[in-house]
Amino acid sequence: MIDTHCHIDFKDFDRDRDEVIRDAAKAGVDRLINIGADIPSSRRAFKLAGDHANIFATVGVHPHDAKTLTPAFLAEMEKMAVHPKVVGIGEIGLDYYRDLSPRDIQRKVFIQQLDLAARLKMPVVIHVREAMDDALAIMGDYIGRTAGVFHCFPGTVEQAHHVQKLGFHISVNGVMTYKNSKMADVGKYADLERMLIETDCPYLTPMPNRGKRNTPGQVAAVLLFLAHLRDMPAAEVEKITTRNAERLFRLVEMFG
Ligand code: NI
């Protein structure tokens, strides 16, 4: 399995990061994609990918931190992005739920980073919360020029089908296991051929451990829950979602 969205560079893992990576491998999670969320975490993700054969990185600035993106860092991102272990630009997007950066700046920074991804022909990892209409309007200009995943898919089954038909992937995580979660319907009914699994650790721990620290190894629980929802053998869901991730992030082409 691949945890396609984790944040093991965060300080939550400072005391036992190597152990967490080993435990993930023991749980069958042999590759991790550590997602950059701001300037320091993109640098840390880059370093982790350089230090560990089975860790890949993305670099990008989250909508919460959009106001911190500078031209100098955009140039630095581009330099990091050409490294073979950097497999995408993200996480980028729009978050109108918390509004930690002004919305016009969020939109501008989202577009700047989409432009970078399109120019470098790299996939994007998209974070959207309470902003799907604006996000889709912006993404409309990039169809055919970028691939990517709407991570922790925040919408309905209909919206999932819509973005999947446009060529994008969606990813699901421990939120599916929460009571009355609309993500459970997405996991059950959206197209599995454009679906990825992730943890978003240290957040969004699957039940029954909600509230405790999440780890990449728990993507195994996400897989089992997804297989249960779809009434499919876990091995088959694993094969399909792993292949989807390998294709989107070009893990096989580059790394065999
Ligand atoms: Ni994240």
Side-chain angles (χ1 to χ4, degrees):
M1 273 163 279
I2 302 171
D3 184 357
T4 62
H5 193 117
C6 65
H7 298 283
I8 60 163
D9 64 289
F10 283 14
K11 63 176 183 330
D12 310 67
F13 297 104
D14 278 355
R15 65 189 155 83
D16 60 352
R17 185 168 292 108
D18 287 341
E19 200 180 322
V20 164
I21 296 166
R22 276 197 300 274
D23 285 350
K26 277 188 219 150
V29 185
D30 59 338
R31 284 164 290 175
L32 314 179
I33 303 178
N34 194 95
I35 304 296
D38 56 19
I39 293 173
S41 84
S42 293
R43 290 174 181 148
R44 292 194 303 262
F46 182 74
K47 168 104 174 54
L48 271 171
D51 290 347
H52 297 266
N54 65 332
I55 300 181
F56 302 89
T58 68
V59 293
V61 175
H62 192 285
H64 291 343
D65 296 286
K67 57 181 183 275
T68 67
L69 181 64
T70 57
F73 187 68
L74 254 186
E76 185 180 335
M77 265 173 72
E78 181 163 356
K79 275 191 200 144
M80 289 193 282
V82 298
H83 188 286
K85 295 290 296 292
V86 177
V87 297
I89 300 296
E91 53 187 294
I92 63 177
L94 302 175
D95 192 315
Y96 295 173
Y97 177 72
R98 295 189 60 194
D99 274 332
L100 296 184
S101 286
R103 292 182 182 183
D104 57 332
I105 293 181
Q106 290 190 41
R107 288 189 287 267
K108 182 181 132 203
V109 162
F110 187 27
I111 290 166
Q112 284 176 322
Q113 296 182 96
L114 283 166
D115 284 340
L116 177 65
R119 189 151 49 80
L120 299 177
K121 298 186 167 42
M122 294 182 82
V124 287
V125 177
I126 305 162
H127 168 106
V128 176
R129 196 158 179 205
E130 313 253 314
M132 190 57 97
D133 290 346
D134 276 13
L136 288 174
I138 290 172
M139 298 298 297
D141 288 342
Y142 295 88
I143 290 163
R145 296 200 290 138
T146 51
V149 55
F150 284 79
H151 113 89
C152 186
F153 191 73
T156 61
V157 175
E158 290 67 34
Q159 286 172 322
H161 281 138
H162 177 67
V163 302
Q164 290 181 315
K165 279 201 194 103
L166 293 176
F168 295 103
H169 288 67
I170 63 162
S171 66
V172 293
N173 57 31
V175 170
M176 282 190 302
T177 69
Y178 302 166
K179 213 176 167 153
N180 301 323
S181 160
K182 68 183 171 189
M183 192 191 284
D185 288 332
V186 169
K188 186 168 181 179
Y189 297 115
D191 181 5
L192 193 60
E193 298 296 318
R194 290 191 179 274
M195 195 181 297
L196 310 179
I197 53 174
E198 62 165 57
T199 61
D200 204 14
C201 68
Y203 313 118
L204 307 180
T205 313
M207 292 296 281
N209 295 314
R210 187 175 186 179
K212 294 187 189 150
R213 182 182 72 165
N214 200 1
T215 60
Q218 301 251 24
V219 84
V222 172
L223 172 79
L224 284 180
F225 196 82
L226 180 62
H228 165 77
L229 283 174
R230 300 186 74 99
D231 198 18
M232 286 173 69
E236 199 180 334
V237 176
E238 178 180 344
K239 198 173 104 192
I240 295 168
T241 53
T242 298
R243 187 201 58 205
N244 294 345
E246 287 173 339
R247 276 189 194 152
L248 178 63
F249 295 108
R250 300 181 201 131
L251 302 182
V252 172
E253 270 170 57
M254 280 195 266
F255 311 103

